[in-house]
Amino acid sequence: MSISAAFFVQAQDISVIRNSVDVYSNAPMIGSSKFNAMAGSNGALGGDGTSLMTNPAGIGVAIAGDISGTLSVINNKNTASLAGSSIDYNINKANIGNVNGVATFQLMTESPWKFINVAANISTTSIENYIESPGNSDISIAKNLVDQDGNNVVGNLSYLGHAYNRYGTQTQFNIGVGANYNNAVYFGASINMHGVDMEQYDSAILGLDLDNSVTTFDKQYTPYSEKSSGFSGSLGVIGKVSNQLRLGASIETPTWWTIDRAYRDYYDGGDGIYYDNFVEDRTFRSPMKATLSGAFVPNKNFAINVDYTLGLTKPRYKVQGPAESELNAVFNDNYKNLSEIKVGAEYRIKALRLRGGYSYASSPFDSTTISSFSNTGTVSDNNYSNFILGDRNTIGAGIGYDFGKFYIDAAYQNITSEYKNPFLAGYEFDNYNTGYYSGDFDVTTPSSVVSDVKNVRNNFFLTLGWKF
């Protein structure tokens, strides 16, 4: 990593970098219970509307109409650790996470084209996230101040705690068409529409030794809110190598996002800190993705599928000023292309369905060297892996029962990730300060505090479906 990129990482609000990847580029979406139990692995199997999230050619595999709705119950737990202390925080959410359907149209002709099918899928998930890091009074920042008598004094601000707090919802709507050619090759295409409604906070608690006061400080340009919409397109194909082996491939274009953003800009008015509210729009392009899939179906009772997804490009903002240039520099120097492997299987015992799956997604960032505080308060350059976001492991399990026209499925997912969580750093230039602000003064340090975060998500799903 270059020195300039290390500077940009600390000059920017880390939450913007995290959300660019975690929300706008690589968020796993909720499918049906079957989809979730198999960790989203269905790229060469297909058969229902959730295929639109992996390989739209799976729509062409369907030979009967299908519609389902899924109730999702999400538990999101963050444990942030620093200097021997830890803070846990749990978020629980329940909503209708997925609705999808397929309509099949059998072609009554002598042509080898057997079916033309259409499908729709809508997924909704909470992106609420709260990371509270413990304080460490050995970390202190010196600040030149003026006392009530007009004398110049030096105060020391001890670090007592920090929180990233995000609220919001993400939606994805897919609509597509699939075709069956001679029951051997399947083609598909889809249009994907995305939406995000989000608020982000970044706050630190600091204690001043001059009067023993404790004050909450907000990061420059926070809180901010974003209402965003985006679109992408997908193309896919599945081919039967034999009656038992299927191979699939799909490609998804970048998602082109339009982001309407409102934020606070703090400044020193001479007699205290003030802020103005500003609005702006941004244009963001997420990475293009390709997925290769293989499925083995030895009989009607068992199927196993493997998907491998690779990012082909990097995230990028349209440059409208220094902020977008800095963000692009971070992605150019630090971002690793998405790499994810998913394995899912289903076993049938008459009307009973047993399912399981596993997914591994690599960290989206290279190891990064930044200036940071140790637990004893000293400052040095340190290298961190799993920086900002870490590897993600997903384990899924599920059960279902087919009543004929109706079916019911249930699933459980455990998703874990561990990463290094930097905060507090900022820079001060002429008329430019990316530090933290209270109502009285700003605090700026070029060094980060870095906590360890373990994120665990325990998700439960219940699907009701109807075949027609």
Side-chain angles (χ1 to χ4, degrees):
M1 174 180 172
S2 68
I3 294 175
S4 60
F7 164 80
F8 291 146
V9 166
Q10 296 175 91
Q12 283 289 334
D13 177 18
I14 293 296
S15 68
V16 174
I17 299 172
R18 177 181 288 121
N19 292 338
S20 297
V21 176
D22 187 36
V23 175
Y24 292 116
S25 298
N26 192 27
M29 298 302 296
I30 291 173
S32 65
S33 292
K34 177 182 177 180
F35 180 91
N36 299 327
M38 297 174 64
S41 179
N42 68 356
L45 289 175
D48 63 28
T50 61
S51 300
L52 295 170
M53 295 193 288
T54 308
N55 182 351
I59 299 305
V61 176
I63 58 174
D66 181 284
I67 187 170
S68 71
T70 299
L71 172 68
S72 65
V73 179
I74 309 298
N75 171 260
N76 183 16
K77 178 182 178 181
N78 284 313
T79 301
S81 302
L82 181 70
S85 298
S86 298
I87 296 177
D88 296 336
Y89 195 87
N90 279 279
I91 297 172
N92 295 293
K93 293 287 183 180
N95 72 325
I96 301 300
N98 181 270
V99 176
N100 73 83
V102 177
T104 61
F105 300 92
Q106 188 172 5
L107 303 179
M108 302 299 183
T109 68
E110 298 300 323
S111 166
W113 294 99
K114 304 299 183 182
F115 283 89
I116 297 293
N117 304 332
V118 295
N121 175 85
I122 184 167
S123 298
T124 302
T125 186
S126 169
I127 54 173
E128 184 174 343
N129 199 36
Y130 183 79
I131 309 166
E132 182 177 352
S133 298
N136 180 3
S137 58
D138 289 333
I139 296 174
S140 182
I141 304 168
K143 174 68 177 178
N144 294 322
L145 297 169
V146 178
D147 66 16
Q148 60 185 5
D149 298 321
N151 301 313
N152 293 325
V153 294
V154 177
N156 293 294
L157 291 139
S158 57
Y159 161 68
L160 301 179
H162 177 272
Y164 286 116
N165 191 6
R166 184 177 72 196
Y167 299 93
T169 302
Q170 184 169 14
T171 59
Q172 179 176 305
F173 176 66
N174 319 88
I175 185 167
V177 60
N180 175 335
Y181 183 82
N182 207 31
N183 294 319
V185 184
Y186 308 90
F187 302 93
S190 68
I191 296 173
N192 317 304
M193 287 160 278
H194 310 259
V196 168
D197 191 344
M198 175 175 62
E199 294 182 28
Q200 178 72 57
Y201 298 79
D202 180 342
S203 304
I205 300 175
L206 303 174
L208 179 61
D209 62 351
L210 297 177
D211 58 3
N212 295 319
S213 61
V214 175
T215 306
T216 298
F217 289 73
D218 293 312
K219 174 76 170 176
Q220 176 68 293
Y221 310 129
T222 70
Y224 63 84
S225 63
E226 294 178 348
K227 292 184 181 295
S228 311
S229 60
F231 70 92
S232 64
S234 300
L235 293 172
V237 62
I238 297 173
K240 285 186 177 180
V241 179
S242 67
N243 288 333
Q244 293 78 35
L245 182 63
R246 303 177 188 178
L247 299 178
S250 64
I251 190 165
E252 182 180 355
T253 70
T255 300
W256 288 277
W257 288 95
T258 299
I259 303 171
D260 293 321
R261 173 182 171 88
Y263 64 93
R264 287 184 181 178
D265 189 338
Y266 299 90
Y267 63 94
D268 189 343
D271 57 347
I273 298 298
Y274 298 86
Y275 67 82
D276 290 323
N277 292 316
F278 290 95
V279 295
E280 64 179 2
D281 61 88
R282 279 179 169 172
T283 300
F284 177 71
R285 185 186 69 208
S286 74
M288 177 183 287
K289 304 171 187 176
T291 299
L292 299 177
S293 307
F296 181 61
V297 189
N299 52 58
K300 293 183 178 181
N301 296 323
F302 179 71
I304 185 169
N305 185 91
V306 179
D307 294 335
Y308 177 68
T309 300
L310 179 67
L312 304 179
T313 59
K314 295 186 176 185
R316 184 169 183 82
Y317 282 90
K318 178 182 178 181
V319 175
Q320 300 174 201
E324 290 83 16
S325 296
E326 293 173 3
L327 287 165
N328 290 339
V330 172
F331 298 134
N332 287 338
D333 288 358
N334 295 87
Y335 182 82
K336 293 190 301 186
N337 286 358
L338 167 70
S339 179
E340 182 175 12
I341 187 165
K342 299 181 289 187
V343 181
E346 179 183 66
Y347 184 71
R348 299 181 178 183
I349 307 172
K350 295 183 179 180
L352 183 67
R353 311 289 188 254
L354 301 176
R355 304 179 180 110
Y358 173 76
S359 169
Y360 170 79
S362 62
S363 170
F365 292 104
D366 287 320
S367 296
T368 304
T369 299
I370 62 170
S371 174
S372 61
F373 290 95
S374 70
N375 289 338
T376 60
T378 59
V379 172
S380 61
D381 288 340
N382 295 288
N383 183 266
Y384 299 98
S385 58
N386 286 327
F387 188 66
I388 303 178
L389 290 168
D391 300 345
R392 185 178 69 240
N393 292 273
T394 303
I395 298 173
I399 189 170
Y401 197 88
D402 188 346
F403 295 93
K405 288 292 186 180
F406 296 92
Y407 59 90
I408 183 170
D409 297 320
Y412 165 75
Q413 274 187 344
N414 174 264
I415 305 172
T416 59
S417 180
E418 297 184 30
Y419 56 91
K420 302 294 183 179
N421 178 47
F423 51 88
L424 206 64
Y427 280 86
E428 184 174 4
F429 310 95
D430 294 334
N431 301 317
Y432 182 64
N433 189 321
T434 62
Y436 284 72
Y437 289 78
S438 71
D440 299 316
F441 55 86
D442 66 276
V443 177
T444 307
T445 173
S447 301
S448 296
V449 180
V450 181
S451 63
D452 296 297
V453 176
K454 181 176 182 179
N455 176 250
V456 179
R457 302 184 187 189
N458 290 297
N459 305 330
F460 300 88
F461 308 96
L462 182 65
T463 298
L464 297 176
W466 174 48
K467 293 181 288 184
F468 58 92

